[in-house]
Amino acid sequence: HKNILAKNQERLKNIFSGQNNFSLRFINISFYEERFKSLFLRGHFTIETWFRLLMPELLLDYKKVLYLDSDLIVNANVADLYETNINNYLLAACHDADTAGLYNGFEPNKKNYMDKILKIKNPYNYFQAGVILFNLEEFRKTYSTDEMLKFASSYDWELLDQDVLNVLAQDKVKFVDMSWNVMFDWRNIRISEIISRAPKYLHDEYVQAHNAPRIIHYAGPDKPWQDPSADYAELFWKYSRKTVFYEQVIFDAFRTKPRDGLTRKIAKKILPNGTKRNLCAKRIYSKLR
């Protein structure tokens, strides 16, 4: 990280106090920030997405690391995924049925980009980078951090480090069951209009994984804290209520500029009239006006 407030670090650490199977540590990479200045950003992505390229250099005491995006819900024991044998592989990840659908016509320019720019030998072996088991030992043997960052800065990649990792790890990826990274049905079109275009084996694997997800990934610019009616949003709210950040999530949702009456949708779903939460939210909102 580069800007997690000290008070929020303490709040997070307190969640695990008294538990002996967790250790929470923070690594501030501001010292390395200069190395990321030439890297491209677009859309809803932030500079933090590039930080994982530093892992082989920063985490020298570790042979492998399970990387998890921040916009997901873990619904199973990730130790089972961590124990995957990735000897002689650079990483383990899940097939990306969404990208396969984009490639097969939903996004007109995707095929040309993947064939001519990424040059992925088998475009259907493109992986989704929100959940990755990295073989750091193998990465250190194959690429230096400077080599990866130089390649990363050589083009304005559409999906940033996900594209970079797909190119660098090509032919050295171990694919695991898609239930370990189930992308939610973004705007209710990801399944019906995008993944429906993917090859049948990828479509079927996705449908099976979506019915029994181990990890749910809210991939895309719209998140369940912005739209409480989104696919699997109920799980996000179920777990957010158990955290010390729940009120902050609601506060931020009201502060965000509404899209198509989004604020009212959120209020109706999670702040029913007459509840204590509703009264508390009204007090907060009145102070903001």
Side-chain angles (χ1 to χ4, degrees), residues 62-66 77-85 133:
Y62 297 90
K63 294 182 178 180
K64 64 178 181 178
V65 165
L66 178 59
N77 188 352
V78 291
D80 295 337
L81 178 56
Y82 182 81
E83 292 302 324
T84 301
N85 186 334
L133 182 60

Side-chain angles (χ1 to χ4, degrees), residues 26-240:
F26 297 85
I27 302 175
N28 190 318
I29 62 91
S30 296
F31 177 78
Y32 302 90
E33 199 169 356
E34 190 71 27
R35 299 166 78 178
F36 293 92
K37 286 194 172 177
S38 62
L39 299 179
F40 177 65
L41 290 175
R42 64 183 289 267
H44 64 286
F45 296 101
T46 61
I47 194 66
E48 282 81 1
T49 193
W50 292 104
F51 290 174
R52 54 185 150 184
L53 298 184
L54 283 178
M55 289 195 299
E57 179 180 321
L58 289 180
L59 305 177
L60 292 174
D61 293 333
Y62 297 90
K63 294 182 178 180
K64 64 178 181 178
V65 165
L66 178 59
Y67 168 87
L68 302 173
D69 265 359
S70 58
D71 57 345
L72 51 78
I73 295 291
V74 175
N75 223 22
N77 188 352
V78 291
D80 295 337
L81 178 56
Y82 182 81
E83 292 302 324
T84 301
N85 186 334
I86 52 173
N87 292 340
N88 301 318
Y89 292 95
L90 282 171
L91 57 87
C94 301
H95 282 106
D96 189 339
D98 181 78
T99 292
L102 298 177
Y103 179 86
N104 279 356
F106 183 83
E107 190 175 295
N109 298 324
K110 194 69 171 181
K111 186 178 190 305
N112 182 68
Y113 173 73
M114 292 185 70
D115 291 346
K116 303 292 178 60
I117 304 299
L118 297 186
K119 298 178 182 178
I120 303 291
K121 295 174 186 175
N122 182 350
Y124 302 128
N125 276 344
Y126 186 94
F127 62 83
Q128 216 289 334
V131 178
I132 299 180
L133 182 60
F134 282 97
N135 186 338
L136 298 186
E137 199 170 40
E138 195 68 23
F139 259 99
R140 293 183 195 110
K141 295 176 186 176
T142 309
Y143 302 109
S144 69
T145 303
D146 286 340
E147 286 174 329
M148 289 193 287
L149 291 175
K150 183 178 180 180
F151 180 71
S153 64
S154 67
Y155 192 82
D156 292 347
W157 310 98
E158 286 186 2
L159 293 178
L160 311 184
D161 54 321
Q162 178 169 284
D163 284 349
V164 168
L165 288 168
N166 267 276
V167 174
L168 294 179
Q170 191 171 182
D171 298 327
K172 297 200 74 175
V173 178
K174 184 168 189 175
F175 287 98
V176 295
D177 191 276
M178 208 181 290
S179 61
W180 286 114
N181 186 359
V182 178
M183 288 184 285
F184 82 134
D185 189 11
W186 175 74
R187 294 189 181 178
N188 296 313
I189 67 168
R190 178 169 271 148
I191 296 175
S192 61
E193 298 185 31
I194 304 176
I195 293 178
S196 62
R197 297 171 182 254
K200 186 177 186 302
Y201 73 96
L202 288 178
H203 172 270
D204 291 350
E205 183 181 0
Y206 174 86
V207 170
Q208 183 175 352
H210 187 271
N211 290 333
R214 290 180 171 123
I215 294 178
I216 298 165
H217 186 186
Y218 301 107
D222 306 324
K223 308 297 183 183
W225 50 92
Q226 298 167 317
D227 182 0
S229 66
D231 185 33
Y232 282 124
E234 68 278 2
L235 281 179
F236 167 80
W237 289 107
K238 171 185 174 182
Y239 292 119
S240 68

Side-chain angles (χ1 to χ4, degrees), residues 252-271:
D252 290 342
F254 272 87
R255 185 171 55 180
T256 302
K257 183 178 179 180
R259 188 190 75 242
D260 298 328
L262 190 54
T263 300
R264 289 190 295 275
K265 286 177 69 179
I266 292 173
K268 186 176 179 180
K269 286 279 186 178
I270 63 174
L271 303 170

